[in-house]
Amino acid sequence: MGYNVVDVLNKAINITIRKRSIYESLGQRKCDILAVKIMSKALVKEMDRTIQYYEKLKNEVEPEEIDFYIYDKISFLIDEFNKKINVTEINNIKDYLKFSLDVEKGGKSVLIDVQGRFVKNKSDINTKTYKILSDIIYNKEKLITTLEKIMKIE
């Protein structure tokens, strides 16, 4: 049996679990900064919702097989992104929001790259895999937009 979108979703779940852990840890380390603590709790909840969403997708999808070469490239991209998620110095809510926004934008970029690698011809945009990735990117964009709005308020 080959690789399919469930394998990609599993990688996305692993990254989301890692981001959840980072957000939670930052909230605990910077608990003296109330805004960071509150934002951490909100982002942890968002990561929990995202994980549930990915799990739901895994159960609903009838996966199409992904060519090994494409999967290998996708896997590499995702793993490299995961390695690049490094916590910078967080001293205030602005630093925290910028860090979070950068992580989420990076994740969106990887998803767009992954989605693009599935397109070899025009009909590929009608596959389940492409549509699932489009939905995931849309949800990621909503989180990015929310973080950007919060940054403008700050």
Side-chain angles (χ1 to χ4, degrees):
M1 184 168 140
Y3 295 104
N4 57 52
V5 74
V6 172
D7 298 302
V8 175
L9 287 168
N10 284 332
K11 286 191 166 290
I13 288 168
N14 289 337
I15 289 174
T16 306
I17 289 169
R18 181 157 182 255
K19 289 189 308 186
R20 182 194 186 285
S21 174
I22 290 169
Y23 292 144
E24 189 172 48
S25 173
L26 284 170
Q28 291 170 356
R29 284 193 317 204
K30 298 297 180 178
C31 64
D32 56 323
I33 305 171
L34 185 59
V36 170
K37 186 175 180 176
I38 291 169
M39 196 66 213
S40 287
K41 285 185 180 185
L43 285 171
V44 165
K45 285 182 183 180
E46 181 61 31
M47 295 303 105
D48 288 341
R49 279 191 293 273
T50 300
I51 292 166
Q52 289 173 350
Y53 168 67
Y54 291 161
E55 290 291 349
K56 181 181 170 204
L57 281 176
K58 281 174 37 178
N59 294 326
E60 291 177 358
V61 70
E62 290 182 30
E64 302 150 331
E65 193 167 311
I66 298 171
D67 176 80
F68 175 77
Y69 179 75
I70 293 172
Y71 180 79
D72 186 50
K73 291 288 186 185
I74 289 168
S75 182
F76 177 78
L77 284 171
I78 293 170
D79 290 343
E80 285 301 303
F81 170 72
N82 199 19
K83 289 177 190 173
K84 290 180 184 177
I85 301 174
N86 292 314
V87 180
T88 58
E89 186 63 32
I90 306 289
N91 295 311
N92 54 50
I93 188 63
K94 189 171 185 164
D95 293 344
Y96 184 85
L97 289 170
K98 180 164 177 13
F99 166 77
S100 302
L101 186 60
D102 289 346
V103 168
E104 298 305 326
K105 281 184 174 181
K108 179 185 168 197
S109 294
V110 169
L111 288 168
I112 290 170
D113 193 350
V114 165
Q115 184 185 43
R117 291 177 188 268
F118 281 106
V119 180
K120 298 296 178 210
N121 57 55
K122 189 175 179 179
S123 66
D124 289 340
I125 64 171
N126 297 316
T127 63
K128 293 243 184 229
T129 300
Y130 187 89
K131 290 177 182 178
I132 286 170
L133 287 168
S134 293
D135 197 37
I136 292 170
I137 291 166
Y138 173 75
N139 284 321
K140 180 70 64 184
E141 183 60 39
K142 288 190 320 189
L143 176 57
I144 290 168
T145 301
T146 300
L147 288 170
E148 288 173 337
K149 286 178 183 176
I150 292 169
M151 282 190 75
K152 286 181 184 176
I153 294 170
E154 194 41 47

